[in-house]
Amino acid sequence: MALTGKQIRTLRALAHHLDPVVFVGKADVTEAVAKQADQALEAHELIKCGVQDGSELTTREAAEALAEVTTSEVVQVIGHRFALYRESHKKDIEHIKL
């Protein structure tokens, strides 16, 4: 699912106020980190993640690796933070209108 420029701008604006919920540490993208990100994406659709200083991955590499594992889209990468988006299958949450 490729996002358009307008959709990315909307998601970036929404992600600005979010706090990171998933952190990639020195063990890089592990199964536990992927599971945590997957659950957060299913519950919220848009999440912000962080890369800690001990990680051997750059922020872009961590974002792309986590996006691939969770089948989500990288919305933005700034500094040690990045945002991911994936449409949720849950019916009981408020979905982001794109």
Side-chain angles (χ1 to χ4, degrees), residues 19-92:
D19 292 321
V21 294
V22 176
F23 288 94
V24 177
K26 66 180 175 180
D28 298 331
V29 179
T30 62
E31 188 176 324
V33 170
K35 183 177 179 182
Q36 182 183 12
D38 192 55
Q39 290 172 347
L41 283 164
E42 198 60 35
H44 303 288
E45 293 188 325
L46 180 66
I47 62 171
K48 189 181 276 189
C49 307
V51 177
Q52 296 176 331
D53 289 334
S55 178
E56 294 182 12
L57 296 175
T58 66
T59 308
R60 172 69 62 186
E61 292 169 342
E64 290 173 356
L66 200 52
E68 183 178 332
V69 172
T70 60
T71 62
S72 60
E73 295 286 330
V74 178
V75 174
Q76 183 176 37
V77 177
I78 294 181
H80 292 286
R81 306 272 190 256
F82 60 93
L84 298 176
Y85 170 78
R86 182 182 74 200
E87 188 174 342
S88 177
H89 302 324
K90 288 186 174 184
K91 303 275 189 235
D92 60 340

